Amino acid sequence: MKMSFRHCLLASAVVVSSLGFTASTQAALPFFSDSKDEVPSLAPMLEEATPAVVSIAVEGTQTSRQRVPEMFRYFFGAPQEQVQERPFRGLGSGVIIDADKGYVVTNNHVVDNADEITVKLTDGREFKAKKLGSDEQSDIALLKIEPDDLKALPLADSDGLRVGDFVVAIGNPFGLSQTVTSGIVSALGRSGLNIGGYEDFIQTDAAINRGNSGGALVNLHGELVGINTAIFGPNGGNVGIGFAIPANMMKSLVDQIAEFGEVRRGLLGILGSDIDAGLAEAMNAEVNIGAFVSEVQPESAAEKAGLQAGDIITAINGRQLHSFQELRAKIASMGAGAEVELTVMRKGKKMNVDVVLDDATDTTVTAAQIHPALEGATLSNGADDAGNAGVVVSDIERGAPAARIGLQSDDVIIGVNRVRTSTVAEFRNALDEAKGVIALNVKRGNSTLYLVIRQ
């Protein structure tokens, strides 16, 4: 039977019945009934948690490009490529993480390319949502709805999870609203699944199906421990192996999105691999799990902190590491400038190394990612001739939409509708806020001009 990884575009799930807890366990978990006439139940906890899990409906248009055969272009004057636009609809789940600000977190693949996002609460109310930002590599997106008597899920410290901990998944699989399933944490720090660029998944056997994407994985106290993201099974069906993004990783990413409009990844500056028994023996090391440092890049955060090739990193901020991929994902999600304590084994001696992470953010983006009218240009953080920060335009494609609105190579965009923009992130946010006609304030040599985009 062929197995495959699939994103669970819909929500999460959870069901819990009597789990055979003792009286002492019930005392530790106050949501269980103390009445001798009632069966122990997770219902009180779920009644508090489920209002914070929402259904997400999206609508948009997918654009596909197909190259036209040369003979058709020659005889009929057809363009080099044919562009087709197809409308799409989708369903998923989300979790309210800040009731006052109206922040809803979900998976990037749920809302990617969506023109309209609708969030539906358990009480039937619906809100149009605005996407504040997303990160494709970690599959996280942050939405905002107008606060109106919302309820948020409290966050747990996902680094404190242990294999065997009970968890509950809540979401909308197959469009079935407010489905709940239960299970345990099956594994931690899962990576190498080729689901996303940065993988540090919680694995669970709580039933997760298509449509669970963006839903909540909670502990028995009703605290959010993860965002359900993907499943592993034949034809997308549940076989008891699901994956969730840890709450700590999600929190770090959405904090960056809320502040900067994008994720500003941390960078350690090392190359390496997993440590295994063979490598541990070759290095005369007493540890068989962790991240082996094969190279420290010059002028990197790692070199400045004193890391050396041959070091074995066994923990980050006191939490044990299972693999190099787990280290990579945790570092990337912590953000530029974060202070990190690494536990290192060097020549049989254990030591702690404090590191301040560099900025790994690639500030060069394809302009079509920001606005369709800018397609054909490449944008990056820079400055004009006077040294004033702005968004530098380069690599204009001839005849592309960006060229048609008048942009030229080496232009520096310094504002949108009289709002000053100094970085790509600020430029993206200003365009998201703009309605109707958009006026780009452009510095071209010694001249300043406005270019108009009519939506």
Side-chain angles (χ1 to χ4, degrees), residues 4 34 40 68 120 123 158 174 177 191 263 289 306 312 318 343 353-354 366 386 391 405 441:
S4 63
D34 291 327
V68 178
K120 184 176 182 179
D123 60 11
S158 57
F174 306 110
S177 61
S191 60
V263 172
I289 188 171
I312 300 172
T343 302
V353 177
D354 294 324
T366 301
V391 178
I405 67 170
N441 191 0

Side-chain angles (χ1 to χ4, degrees), residues 141-199:
L142 180 63
L143 311 178
K144 179 178 176 61
I145 57 178
E146 291 303 320
D148 184 9
D149 191 25
L150 302 178
K151 184 174 181 60
L153 269 183
L155 301 186
D157 179 7
S158 57
D159 286 338
L161 280 177
R162 298 179 300 171
V163 173
D165 284 348
F166 286 103
V167 287
V168 175
I170 311 170
N172 308 294
F174 306 110
L176 301 172
S177 61
Q178 287 299 302
T179 298
V180 180
T181 56
S182 69
I184 62 169
V185 173
S186 305
L188 296 167
R190 284 295 194 207
S191 60
L193 308 178
N194 296 319
I195 299 174
Y198 297 95
E199 299 179 350

Side-chain angles (χ1 to χ4, degrees), residues 59-189:
E59 296 184 18
T61 303
Q62 288 180 329
T63 301
S64 61
R65 299 177 182 274
Q66 185 175 8
R67 193 169 182 82
V68 178
E70 186 175 351
M71 64 176 182
F72 284 97
R73 300 202 304 269
Y74 180 79
F75 287 108
F76 302 107
Q80 290 187 351
E81 62 180 11
Q82 186 177 26
V83 180
Q84 292 183 334
E85 294 185 347
R86 296 180 179 178
F88 73 89
R89 293 183 178 181
L91 294 173
S93 296
V95 182
I96 300 173
I97 59 170
D98 191 318
D100 294 330
K101 296 180 179 178
Y103 286 170
V104 178
V105 67
T106 186
N107 287 140
N108 173 70
H109 73 265
V110 172
V111 296
D112 193 27
N113 296 321
D115 298 323
E116 186 173 292
I117 304 171
T118 303
V119 171
K120 184 176 182 179
L121 307 187
T122 56
D123 60 11
R125 289 182 293 162
E126 294 186 359
F127 297 87
K128 295 298 181 184
K130 174 186 176 182
K131 185 167 77 170
L132 298 183
S134 62
D135 182 45
E136 182 179 3
Q137 294 296 309
S138 55
D139 202 15
I140 282 291
L142 180 63
L143 311 178
K144 179 178 176 61
I145 57 178
E146 291 303 320
D148 184 9
D149 191 25
L150 302 178
K151 184 174 181 60
L153 269 183
L155 301 186
D157 179 7
S158 57
D159 286 338
L161 280 177
R162 298 179 300 171
V163 173
D165 284 348
F166 286 103
V167 287
V168 175
I170 311 170
N172 308 294
F174 306 110
L176 301 172
S177 61
Q178 287 299 302
T179 298
V180 180
T181 56
S182 69
I184 62 169
V185 173
S186 305
L188 296 167

Side-chain angles (χ1 to χ4, degrees), residues 245-279:
I245 299 168
N248 288 5
M249 180 177 179
M250 176 275 295
K251 179 65 164 54
S252 178
L253 294 168
V254 299
D255 283 348
Q256 294 174 56
I257 292 172
E259 183 175 358
F260 306 115
E262 62 182 359
V263 172
R264 297 186 175 180
R265 303 194 189 286
L267 179 66
L268 184 57
I270 63 172
L271 300 178
S273 62
D274 297 345
I275 185 77
D276 55 26
L279 185 55

